[in-house]
């Protein structure tokens, strides 16, 4: 009855222009107040949480529009690999993207020499799959941890990461800036732990402690086929204890979990970190199928077989499930903290 009282019939001689109405509830006579004493006032009735649609509107088409636009423009992804020489960094990158994208692959025939200091080398490729283009930049760190004295060997890496933040910041604060700022910031850093089977070295702890504050660090156990299953399980447990003892937060960080579903997924991932991986860029015949693997005297280690190694977990984390999240955390957390710090420094007298 109250609804009919507030909303008169549409065709009752009214114009199409809306009437000016007061937001206050209409005055109710005292007699009606006594009659409707038990009724709930209309202004107190809570509104519905969702709005019921009478038919198809087409809101879901926004997803198709975003997909088409992304396929046309493409996107950027920058990954860094850090570790000693001989741990299979270049092979792992080639295995991840199933193409020759590493530093060694782009420079065939050249003699590999270990530099006396850490030298960063970046290679950029355009990868296309099913119409989706990705500008991939792989940054390698030859010379890291290969010297007798490795003091402050992480400084060039920290300097490089901050330089990319600074480059993006300078483009962002321009009065007339580009519609799409070139993104060279490092979205993920894969740190290769030697398969010693004992514990993390002071070099590993210090590197991850410093780098985890400015970039997403994903630790992996390199060449895990050199460890038995028991050694691998014990080594992973010791690494997890060392990270917890030294308060090192690797990706995915627990502080950034907001959605309950994401938290449940990331909890399962954190239980498996560091991933025990094996890289291979050669195919072999196994049961009539061509698979990526490493051939040994006693058989073939299938890289993409979860029963052989945890490479599928690393691939899913970096590409299939958390690639956009890596970029979002880089922009909203790591770059934002750098931007705030730099602007505060520039505003100081």
């Amino acid at each position: 009855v109250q609804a009919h009282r507030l909303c008169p019939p549409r065709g009752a001689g009214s114009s199409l222009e809306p009437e000016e109405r007061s937001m206050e509830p209409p005055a109710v006579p005292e007699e009606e107040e006594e009659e409707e004493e038990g009724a709930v006032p209309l202004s107190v009735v809570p509104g519905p949480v969702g709005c019921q649609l009478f038919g198809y509107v087409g809101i879901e088409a926004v997803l198709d529009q975003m997909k088409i636009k992304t396929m046309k423009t493409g996107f950027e992804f920058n990954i860094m690999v850090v570790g000693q020489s001989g741990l299979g960094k270049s092979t792992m990158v080639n295995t991840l993207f199933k193409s020759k994208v590493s530093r060694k692959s782009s420079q065939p025939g050249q003699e590999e020499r270990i530099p006396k200091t850490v030298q960063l080398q970046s290679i950029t490729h355009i990868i296309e799959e099913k119409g989706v283009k990705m500008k991939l930049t792989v940054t390698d760190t030859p010379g890291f941890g290969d010297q007798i004295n490795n003091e402050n060997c992480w400084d060039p890496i920290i300097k490089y990461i901050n330089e990319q933040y600074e480059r993006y910041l300078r483009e962002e604060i321009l009065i007339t800036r580009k519609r799409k700022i070139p993104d060279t910031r490092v979205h993920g850093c894969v740190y290769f732990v030697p398969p010693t089977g004992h514990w993390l070295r002071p070099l590993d702890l210090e590197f991850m402690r410093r780098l985890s504050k400015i970039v997403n660090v994903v630790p992996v156990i390199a060449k895990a086929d050199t460890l038995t299953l028991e050694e691998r399980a014990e080594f992973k447990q010791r690494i997890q204890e060392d990270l917890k003892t030294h308060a090192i937060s690797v990706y995915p960080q627990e502080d950034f979990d907001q959605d309950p579903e994401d938290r449940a997924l990331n909890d399962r991932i954190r239980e498996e970190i560091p991933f025990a991986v094996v890289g291979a860029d050669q195919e072999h015949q196994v049961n009539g199928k061509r698979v990526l693997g490493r051939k040994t005297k006693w058989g073939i280690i299938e890289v993409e077989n979860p029963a052989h190694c945890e490479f599928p977990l690393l691939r899913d984390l970096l590409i299939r499930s958390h690639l956009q999240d890596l970029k979002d955390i880089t922009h909203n957390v790591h770059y934002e903290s750098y931007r705030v710090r730099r602007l505060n420094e520039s505003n100081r007298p």
Side-chain angles (χ1 to χ4, degrees):
V1 177
Q2 293 179 0
H4 285 292
R5 190 180 301 144
L6 289 175
C7 302
R10 190 166 183 175
S14 60
S15 62
L16 296 178
E17 298 182 359
E19 298 178 0
E20 296 183 358
R21 297 175 180 173
S22 175
M23 297 300 293
E24 300 179 355
V28 182
E30 296 180 1
E31 297 179 357
E32 292 185 6
E33 284 183 349
E34 295 177 358
E35 294 175 359
E36 301 177 358
E37 185 175 358
V40 180
L42 187 62
S43 59
V44 182
V45 177
V49 178
C51 185
Q52 297 268 337
L53 301 179
F54 298 125
Y56 178 73
V57 178
I59 301 175
E60 63 178 3
V62 176
L63 299 176
D64 296 333
Q65 298 174 26
M66 296 173 62
K67 180 180 178 181
I68 293 174
K69 186 174 181 179
T70 304
M71 292 179 67
K72 288 182 179 179
T73 59
F75 61 97
E76 299 165 324
F77 184 63
N78 308 316
I79 187 173
M80 174 184 286
V81 289
V82 182
Q84 288 182 340
S85 300
L87 293 182
K89 300 187 298 296
S90 301
T91 305
M92 179 58 62
V93 173
N94 294 338
T95 310
L96 274 173
F97 301 98
K98 294 187 176 181
S99 55
K100 304 294 184 179
V101 296
S102 65
R103 171 180 54 88
K104 290 184 178 180
S105 301
S106 60
Q107 300 173 353
Q110 294 187 4
E111 184 180 356
E112 181 69 18
R113 294 182 179 179
I114 300 177
K116 296 182 179 180
T117 58
V118 180
Q119 299 177 2
L120 280 80
Q121 301 178 359
S122 298
I123 303 295
T124 302
H125 301 270
I126 302 296
I127 301 178
E128 184 173 356
E129 183 181 28
K130 294 183 179 181
V132 180
K133 294 181 180 180
M134 181 177 71
K135 183 180 180 182
L136 173 67
T137 301
V138 180
T139 303
D140 198 356
T141 56
F144 177 83
D146 292 335
Q147 311 304 321
I148 297 177
N149 183 10
N150 293 306
E151 185 179 2
N152 297 331
C153 63
W154 46 77
D155 285 347
I157 301 175
I158 296 177
K159 181 181 177 182
Y160 175 83
I161 294 174
N162 288 331
E163 283 177 353
Q164 309 315 309
Y165 289 152
E166 182 70 22
R167 180 180 300 180
Y168 193 91
L169 178 62
R170 290 184 179 277
E171 290 286 342
E172 193 178 41
I173 63 178
L174 290 176
I175 298 177
T176 56
R177 58 185 182 183
K178 302 176 183 178
R179 293 183 60 185
K180 184 179 180 181
I181 302 176
D183 190 3
T184 59
R185 298 169 297 181
V186 179
H187 300 129
C189 174
V190 182
Y191 185 74
F192 288 72
V193 178
T196 59
H198 298 289
W199 48 76
L200 289 176
R201 303 168 301 170
L203 175 64
D204 304 326
L205 291 171
E206 190 65 21
F207 174 86
M208 286 190 282
R209 186 184 68 83
R210 292 173 179 267
L211 268 292
S212 61
K213 299 177 182 179
I214 62 174
V215 72
N216 299 315
V217 178
V218 180
V220 298
I221 301 175
K223 293 189 174 181
D225 53 333
T226 60
L227 301 173
T228 64
L229 296 179
E230 292 79 9
E231 291 174 342
R232 181 193 302 181
E234 293 178 2
F235 193 30
K236 290 181 65 172
Q237 185 177 1
R238 289 171 183 169
I239 291 177
Q240 293 174 357
E241 293 174 355
D242 288 343
L243 294 177
K244 190 174 182 180
T245 302
H246 294 82
I248 299 174
S249 179
V250 297
Y251 184 84
Q253 297 90 337
E254 191 172 357
D255 298 337
F256 305 147
D257 293 340
Q258 298 178 353
D259 187 72
E261 296 181 358
D262 294 342
R263 179 180 294 274
L265 174 61
N266 292 338
D267 285 341
R268 292 194 299 268
I269 295 175
R270 281 187 282 265
E271 292 177 358
E272 302 295 334
I273 282 180
F275 302 123
V277 297
V278 178
D281 50 9
Q282 294 182 357
E283 291 185 341
H284 301 277
Q285 195 82 14
V286 177
N287 298 329
K289 297 181 180 179
R290 303 289 295 179
V291 297
L292 286 172
R294 299 176 64 89
K295 188 175 181 180
T296 62
K297 291 183 178 181
W298 52 87
I300 295 177
I301 302 172
E302 300 178 28
V303 171
E304 296 180 324
N305 189 344
H308 291 188
C309 72
E310 295 175 345
F311 170 79
L313 299 178
L314 175 65
R315 178 198 58 202
D316 294 346
L317 176 69
L318 294 179
I319 302 176
R320 300 187 180 182
S321 63
H322 286 67
L323 188 146
Q324 187 60 42
D325 187 64
L326 284 165
K327 299 181 65 175
D328 292 341
I329 291 182
T330 299
H331 180 76
N332 298 326
V333 179
H334 298 303
Y335 168 71
E336 190 67 18
S337 62
Y338 177 84
R339 186 185 69 86
V340 171
R341 186 174 71 252
R342 286 286 292 114
L343 294 180
N344 286 334
E345 292 175 355
S346 61
N347 291 334
R348 289 174 186 171

